[in-house]
Amino acid sequence: MSVIREGKVKRVLEDPESSQHVIIEFTNFVTAGDGAKKEELEGKGRLACDITEFLLQYLSDKGIETHYVETLEGPKIRCFRAAILPVEVVCRNVAAGSFCRRYGIDRGIELSEPLVEFFLKDDKLGDPLITEEAVMRLQLVNRSDIGFMKSIALSVNHYLSELFAQQNLRLVDFKLEFGRTADGRLVVADEISGDTMRIWNKEGESLDKDLFREDSGDLLSAYVGLLDILRKTDPKIIPIRSEEVHVMVMPKEGIKNPPGEVTRKGLIRLGFQDVKEVRVGKEFKIVLTRPLTSSLLKGLELMNIKLLTNPIAETHEVRLS
Amino acid sequence: MAIAVIRFPGTNNEKDVMRVLASIPGGDPYLVPNYDGPGPLARADGVFIPGGFSYGDYLRAGAVASVEAIIDGVVEIAKAGKPVIGICNGFQILAEAGLLPGVLLPNKSARFVCKWINLRTCETKSIYTEGLDSAILRIPIAHAEGNYYCSEEDLHMLKGEGRVSFRYCNSEGEPTQEVNPNGSLDNIAGIVNERGNVLGMMPHPERASRAILGSTDGLAILENFVRATKAP
Ligand SMILES: Nc1ncnc2c1ncn2[C@@H]1O[C@H](COP(=O)(O)OP(=O)(O)OP(=O)(O)O)[C@@H](O)[C@H]1O
Ligand SMILES: [Mg+2]
């Protein structure tokens, strides 16, 4: 099998059976600080592969589209081949790691709500934090895909948090990569394992790669424990939650908007002389039965053309986050 | 002939319409509630969509009604070349359903307009305006969204193909801006489809169909419609 990409911990191989797929092989390497710290631990690849298989399978059972197809011998998984977007998506519930260093706060501070951050995938630059605005202005990812990734990251956060909570564990944060498949779907790619998450027990002890980063414990036995714990969970009892999206509809520029004009008159009467123009549109809050997928996103566009918007006189924008 | 008069939740002109149609020789109207679906339209020789406020005019006037199953039946009737007429909310529904080009936007005044207007029969040669060459008709309007709008190409096409059936006009028959009651593009009050068998108009001919109502000018349009349902 020819190698497409030799990563720090995984190898991406051609799938001899299908050009739509790739095979990802998990090595025994573990690295930290963008490869500055590196070790080989016998059995680590198998564990990361099994945990990834378990979690990606669980997420897809909840309706989240991932690249996972099946597990092969080796520690290998067959996945949909995907063009990986150039940003990594991090979701945090509790302050840890670089977030604490960046803002000078203590490890363990609860965030008021889950936070989604983007990091530029660039090892040479050390994968720096990047703002959503910069991602758009540099045309790395468009607005719709950014919204999609945020929405999925929050869904993944919900489902993973619920799963770990069954075993009294706290999902602190995790990283996702997204990729576009040949048939145009944006899916969760790469791995989800102790290498890409922080998980704490009630005592605040890590069951993840922080043990290696900080030389604070035995990574291999933590991963064995993590897989054990996952196998004790009951994923089926976690219900599928609904997701919310918004559609903004506005009268097209150049078309008179009488409701806006009379509203403006009212505002002027109230003394708001600086109101030059008011245009009244509509906002739809749409609650979906399941997590967003690329086909649901297409459905939202179709909803607009078929009913929500009259394209002759109105424009629309789907807001995913 | 058998004329299906469609009633959606919020339609409120169906009784007036049924009464007038029944009074016209050959007119045999029957009411079809939307929830009966397209089935009852199979025997129709023509379809009438009366005015009102289908689905409370929520979303956009006519929008929700325009995606109902019964509209599939209306599309079939239109395709078969049988006459289909939509008055007021009926016009809004036909436009939203794509059976007629353009859209009816909120009135320029942002107010509900209810008054008698003059209507000029225009360049059209449709079945609906037979015998009404350049007539000036007195017919009432009552709507909040009657501001006809369409793309420049569509307007060009409508005019070029003689598909503007009626325009708001003054007592001399001139379509001036002073008498434009709602801001409609080119004073357009009614249009027909390419084939000429589907008419949408904002004014209410059924409310100008008996002397006691103050005008009988609308009757001719409805008589033309009934006559067209008899055509082979
Ligand atoms: N479905 C997929 N199709 C193609 N490439 C994928 C897919 N899933 C993950 N990848 C890519 O495969 C590589 C996995 O290797 P590894 O995680 O060891 O890389 P890495 O050294 O961390 O490099 P990177 O900074 O690119 O993540 C990554 O580059 C990842 O983006
Ligand atoms: Mg990686």
Side-chain angles (χ1 to χ4, degrees), chain A residues 5 7-10 12 24 67 80 82 84 121 177 189-190:
Chain A
R5 184 180 153 83
K8 293 184 293 287
V9 299
K10 298 187 293 295
V12 185
I24 296 184
H67 70 159
F80 286 104
I84 303 294
K121 262 176 82 69
E177 290 184 31
D190 208 49

Side-chain angles (χ1 to χ4, degrees), chain A residues 255-256 258-259 262 282 284 306-310 312-314, chain B residues 59-60 63-64 67 96 102-103 105-108 110 149-150:
Chain A
I255 288 186
K256 279 178 86 64
V262 293
K282 298 187 194 96
F284 298 85
K306 292 196 164 186
L307 184 61
L308 301 184
T309 315
N310 187 321
I312 300 171
E314 294 168 323
Chain B
L59 188 57
R60 290 178 310 280
V64 180
V67 296
E96 283 285 349
V103 57
L105 296 177
N107 295 343
K108 197 173 155 187
Y149 176 83
C150 64

Side-chain angles (χ1 to χ4, degrees), chain A residues 136-154:
Chain A
M136 278 186 281
R137 299 296 171 262
L138 292 170
Q139 296 180 308
L140 300 173
V141 181
N142 67 31
R143 187 188 292 273
S144 167
D145 288 346
I146 290 175
F148 186 88
M149 291 195 292
K150 275 176 94 169
S151 174
I152 295 298
L154 291 170

Side-chain angles (χ1 to χ4, degrees), chain A residues 6-189:
Chain A
E6 181 88 51
K8 293 184 293 287
V9 299
K10 298 187 293 295
R11 231 175 257 130
V12 185
L13 311 166
E14 288 290 350
D15 183 348
E17 285 166 34
S18 142
S19 62
Q20 268 194 61
H21 297 125
V22 292
I23 289 165
I24 296 184
E25 181 179 14
F26 290 72
T27 71
N28 284 331
F29 285 108
V30 53
T31 68
D34 282 317
K37 188 170 154 115
K38 184 169 184 174
E39 230 172 276
E40 198 169 0
L41 300 173
E42 186 58 37
K44 186 257 170 184
R46 177 82 264 160
L47 287 163
C49 180
D50 290 351
I51 292 169
T52 294
E53 171 197 0
F54 187 98
L55 292 176
L56 290 181
Q57 188 59 62
Y58 164 63
L59 291 175
S60 72
D61 288 346
K62 298 302 174 196
I64 294 168
E65 287 198 297
T66 81
H67 70 159
Y68 177 78
V69 178
E70 61 182 332
T71 302
L72 306 170
E73 268 178 53
K76 289 195 192 96
I77 53 175
R78 174 173 281 130
C79 305
F80 286 104
R81 185 192 287 263
I84 303 294
L85 300 196
V87 293
E88 296 185 344
V89 185
V90 168
C91 183
R92 305 179 185 275
N93 298 300
V94 178
S98 68
F99 189 79
C100 292
R101 291 194 294 280
R102 198 188 319 143
Y103 300 119
I105 51 170
D106 289 340
R107 174 187 190 267
I109 288 176
E110 291 267 342
L111 302 183
S112 63
E113 268 181 68
L115 169 71
V116 178
E117 294 180 326
F118 293 94
F119 290 83
L120 183 66
K121 262 176 82 69
D122 188 329
D123 278 346
K124 276 186 247 102
L125 296 176
D127 292 352
L129 180 76
I130 185 165
T131 63
E132 259 176 71
E133 289 280 302
V135 173
M136 278 186 281
R137 299 296 171 262
L138 292 170
Q139 296 180 308
L140 300 173
V141 181
N142 67 31
R143 187 188 292 273
S144 167
D145 288 346
I146 290 175
F148 186 88
M149 291 195 292
K150 275 176 94 169
S151 174
I152 295 298
L154 291 170
S155 300
V156 168
N157 185 49
H158 167 77
Y159 291 111
L160 292 185
S161 294
E162 290 287 302
L163 192 69
F164 287 120
Q166 283 186 357
Q167 296 294 318
N168 286 316
L169 296 178
R170 184 75 214 259
L171 178 65
V172 172
D173 55 33
F174 63 92
K175 176 217 76 168
L176 295 179
E177 290 184 31
F178 287 83
R180 174 123 18 229
T181 61
D183 59 1
R185 292 173 302 131
L186 193 54
V187 300
V188 173

